[in-house]
Amino acid sequence: MSEPFGVRGRVVGEDGQPLTGARVILGPELRTVETDGDGRFAFDGLEARNHHRVWAREGDFYSSFIPVNTEEDIELRLRRGATFIATVLADGVPLADATVALTRVLRTVTDERGVAVLRGVPPESFDGRVAAEGRATHNLSVTIEAGGMVEQTIELVAGAEISGRVIDQSGAPVREELRISIAGESPEVSGETSASPDGEWKLSMRAGRYQIQAAASPRTRRVSQTVAIECDGKTPQRDLVLQIASTASGVTYGRIAGVVVDEQGRPAHGARVHVARPSEDGRWSFSLNEWLGYTDRDGRFETAEIGATRELDVGANWEISSRSDVSQRAAVGDLNVKLVLPRRATLVGRALLDGAPVPYFGVCLFRPGADVHPTGVRSDDGRFALPHVPPGTQQVTVLAPGTRRALSAPVTVTANETIDLGDIDLMRGYRVSGFVRDRSGAPVADARVVVGRRGFLKHGVRAPWSPLERLFLNHHETQSNTSGFYVLEGLGLTIGLPEIVQATHPTAGLSIVCELPKSEATLDFTLLGRGRIEGESRSGPSVVGVGEPMFPRHVSCDRRQFAVDVPPGDYEIWSHFSDKGPATKVTVIDGQTVTVTLVTPGSNA
């Protein structure tokens, strides 16, 4: 991922047909393009150091977000969204040109009737805003149901702009994540906003007394002094200064910046840099991390604001690893760190399918049981070059859409040589198809049929991996058509835990979970409705298994709380970290929630 990459794909409608002129959005920078006559789009020159997301909107339709972090070919399938209608009034009269925003993308202005209409809204909960010149900003809270319509009438009262900037103890702007809270006499007259990268902020407030404070990111936990003001709802108050200070003695705040180069002094673009609290064995973990990112095209990096009581480890490597290739100590405020990465080997080869070059595929080093982070390759001749390969016995794994994973022959890497792996032949994957029906036997359209390991199916939500990563993890998804028919193609077997498959639908519910067939097969699903098991596991953060035919579900606890959606039926629940105690048995009824408290034997319940 050291070179700029591109994302290509197409947008299709609910019927699977390509859509022309659909708006495709790339975040976080909000670049937009429109699809061509074949429904295709492209974004080029993307930096691996950013976390990109792609989605599409067109009229009443929207697609889900898809994360991308390497060369990708993706498909965005539009589905019908909900409609949000806001009527904005001022002194009882319709107000034109008021801004109604659910997100940075889902926003519009009111017409002469004071009406703003947002179509194609995903089924989510939103914390938005309604704002207009000379009016107090209104905090908008709305929950959207799938395919429905929500209407709200908002009365904007007179308000005045309150604005300012946030500085540090030296007087410089604070360039980190900042939230500005403006607390009034009640929650209804309070407000909150975020500061710009230069620490500037503004909000319009109604008449009243307010206390204003800036809070930094949860990692640094810094806050400013509290500024008390009185607003008459008419007169702007600008240039208010909030000074961020330390909340802990002996803590120094600032950034660490520098450059990563190779042994010849060339910029190491796309190197992975982490800043962590020192550990005794030289290893690092996410629990010790203060910052993690990638170098830019010039090999440079700059952390977010960090708070530390001592020097930190600044390390760099070429791959996701628990040990740095190179590291050194640096203090907060050091902006001239220089790290020299050792040169490594490059593995080259060619991917073939039926004897012909594969134009798009993914390749990565083979690591049994480890996380998969493939690099996307777009090549007319099927050739690839995988750089930064460490010494040792190495293999690469190659996978293209519609194929099974292929492994190269093992090679011994000793230094920074280039090793040709030759041709790697891919085989086509197999096919599983069938029908999705409800309890009455009627076909169910638009049901999701998902293949993955147990963690992928938590709450029926897509895992936060890119399409290429999901492909390497043998995670597949499709939707049933109007006849309830679905087809999954290009399936392959992976090493480790068996894959499972399940069908879900927002209203018809869930099927049981079963094992994915290991060859061509017909597999039908019956959606049985939806119930929920939720509660508390007093053994601390743990995993709760819900007994089900063939495979248990596993659900992580969040602050000792857990919840899992299941088809109606009989279940056994136990703490994953304690197999000594008896299981808790429950019966789940369609549309109902069962509450359970799990107690680990020997704990203080």
Side-chain angles (χ1 to χ4, degrees):
M1 296 196 301
S2 61
E3 295 298 325
F5 65 93
V7 175
R8 289 166 175 76
R10 67 172 187 160
V11 178
V12 300
E14 290 181 302
D15 57 0
Q17 296 303 306
L19 291 178
T20 301
R23 182 187 178 202
V24 185
I25 306 148
L26 174 78
E29 54 269 63
L30 298 186
R31 289 169 55 183
T32 62
V33 297
E34 288 190 356
T35 55
D36 62 18
D38 296 321
R40 301 202 64 83
F41 66 89
F43 292 101
D44 290 308
L46 306 184
E47 291 281 350
R49 65 196 298 261
N50 293 327
H51 300 283
H52 300 281
R53 298 191 303 173
V54 180
W55 70 101
R57 295 190 69 229
E58 175 62 26
D60 291 339
F61 298 85
Y62 73 97
S63 79
S64 299
F65 295 103
I66 291 184
V68 290
N69 51 30
T70 186
E71 195 81 23
E72 292 275 12
D73 269 336
I74 63 177
E75 180 178 274
L76 299 173
R77 182 180 290 269
L78 295 186
R79 61 193 69 183
R80 184 175 296 277
T83 300
F84 176 66
I85 301 176
T87 300
V88 181
L89 307 175
D91 302 323
V93 177
L95 181 63
D97 297 323
T99 299
V100 178
L102 298 180
T103 68
R104 288 196 297 165
V105 174
L106 291 170
R107 60 190 300 132
T108 188
V109 296
T110 55
D111 58 20
E112 66 278 359
R113 301 170 300 153
V115 176
V117 180
L118 286 168
R119 303 184 185 278
V121 181
E124 296 179 17
S125 294
F126 298 92
D127 291 318
R129 291 181 186 170
V130 181
E133 185 72 25
R135 297 285 163 174
T137 302
H138 177 85
N139 296 322
L140 187 64
S141 180
V142 58
T143 299
I144 304 294
E145 301 292 340
M149 179 182 294
V150 175
E151 297 185 62
Q152 284 193 11
T153 298
I154 299 104
E155 177 83 27
L156 295 185
V157 301
E161 178 184 304
I162 301 174
S163 60
R165 58 196 177 98
V166 184
I167 61 173
D168 61 20
Q169 291 172 301
S170 69
V174 176
R175 293 182 173 88
E176 66 172 298
E177 180 185 347
L178 294 168
R179 299 298 298 175
I180 315 299
S181 61
I182 304 180
E185 296 174 353
S186 68
E188 292 74 20
V189 295
S190 300
E192 185 178 79
T193 187
S194 57
S196 72
D198 292 328
E200 296 182 350
W201 57 272
K202 69 177 180 179
L203 204 64
S204 293
M205 303 300 297
R206 67 175 70 191
R209 295 178 179 178
Y210 297 95
Q211 292 187 330
I212 309 173
Q213 187 179 62
S217 65
R219 181 172 296 280
T220 61
R221 299 180 295 277
R222 291 195 291 166
V223 297
S224 73
Q225 85 280 21
T226 299
V227 174
I229 66 167
E230 186 163 347
C231 176
D232 62 7
K234 300 177 182 179
T235 308
Q237 298 185 55
R238 302 185 176 96
D239 300 323
L240 296 176
V241 176
L242 302 175
Q243 187 176 58
I244 288 281
S246 171
T247 58
S249 61
V251 177
T252 301
Y253 292 92
R255 295 171 181 251
I256 297 176
V259 64
V260 183
V261 299
D262 64 18
E263 292 172 321
Q264 296 181 346
R266 296 174 300 192
H269 170 214
R272 186 179 175 91
V273 181
H274 69 268
V275 177
R277 300 189 299 277
S279 62
E280 295 182 358
D281 61 359
R283 299 172 70 88
W284 64 273
S285 68
F286 285 108
S287 63
L288 298 177
N289 258 355
E290 297 293 337
W291 182 82
L292 183 67
Y294 294 94
T295 56
D296 63 16
R297 296 187 185 186
D298 297 321
R300 301 202 61 82
F301 69 91
E302 183 176 357
T303 72
E305 194 89 357
I306 294 175
T309 58
R310 55 175 174 163
E311 287 190 323
L312 299 171
D313 275 336
V314 183
N317 54 2
W318 283 118
E319 62 179 7
I320 295 178
S321 169
S322 61
R323 189 179 298 274
S324 298
D325 291 333
V326 60
S327 66
Q328 69 179 62
R329 296 287 175 88
V332 170
D334 189 345
L335 305 180
N336 296 295
V337 175
K338 184 176 182 180
L339 300 172
V340 181
L341 274 175
R343 293 183 63 188
R344 284 183 165 185
T346 298
L347 302 182
V348 299
R350 184 171 66 154
L352 300 177
L353 177 62
D354 299 331
V358 181
Y360 170 72
F361 56 93
V363 59
C364 67
L365 287 177
F366 177 60
R367 294 284 188 268
D371 290 337
V372 175
H373 299 279
T375 296
V377 177
R378 203 177 301 277
S379 170
D380 292 336
D381 59 7
R383 295 194 175 276
F384 67 87
L386 191 64
H388 318 308
V389 178
T393 300
Q394 304 289 3
Q395 286 179 281
V396 301
T397 178
V398 180
L399 184 62
T403 74
R404 305 186 189 193
R405 186 187 303 209
L407 279 175
S408 70
V411 295
T412 300
V413 177
T414 58
N416 58 359
E417 71 267 41
T418 297
I419 301 176
D420 193 342
L421 302 174
D423 293 340
I424 300 176
D425 294 313
L426 298 174
M427 295 179 59
R428 297 188 186 277
Y430 63 92
R431 182 177 189 265
V432 172
S433 61
F435 288 88
V436 182
R437 300 182 176 92
D438 63 17
R439 287 170 291 185
S440 70
V444 177
D446 298 324
R448 289 179 62 209
V449 182
V450 183
V451 172
R453 298 182 184 176
R454 282 171 283 191
F456 291 158
L457 300 182
K458 179 183 176 183
H459 302 316
V461 178
R462 289 179 177 83
W465 291 286
S466 75
L468 193 61
E469 289 170 330
R470 292 201 297 267
L471 190 66
F472 268 72
L473 292 165
N474 204 30
H475 175 83
H476 300 264
E477 180 177 329
T478 189
Q479 284 186 302
S480 58
N481 63 18
T482 54
S483 300
F485 180 75
Y486 77 91
V487 59
L488 292 161
E489 297 184 295
L491 301 177
L493 302 178
T494 60
I495 299 173
L497 293 173
E499 287 78 17
I500 59 175
V501 58
Q502 181 188 34
T504 68
H505 187 270
T507 57
L510 301 86
S511 73
I512 64 169
V513 170
C514 58
E515 185 174 2
L516 177 70
K518 296 179 172 60
S519 60
E520 299 269 338
T522 298
L523 186 63
D524 295 335
F525 293 98
T526 300
L527 300 179
L528 303 173
R530 184 188 305 268
R532 170 166 284 210
I533 303 172
E534 63 181 31
E536 179 181 0
S537 174
R538 295 187 180 179
S539 58
S542 63
V543 179
V544 178
V546 179
E548 184 175 26
M550 301 193 70
F551 292 97
R553 288 179 170 90
H554 293 310
V555 181
S556 298
C557 287
D558 181 10
R559 297 180 181 179
R560 297 190 178 186
Q561 301 300 311
F562 68 88
V564 58
D565 291 339
V566 294
D570 296 327
Y571 293 90
E572 292 185 349
I573 315 170
W574 64 94
S575 171
H576 181 68
F577 292 132
S578 175
D579 54 5
K580 297 180 181 180
T584 299
K585 297 183 179 181
V586 299
T587 298
V588 178
I589 300 174
D590 188 22
Q592 296 186 9
T593 297
V594 177
T595 302
V596 176
T597 298
L598 299 180
V599 180
T600 303
S603 67
N604 295 321

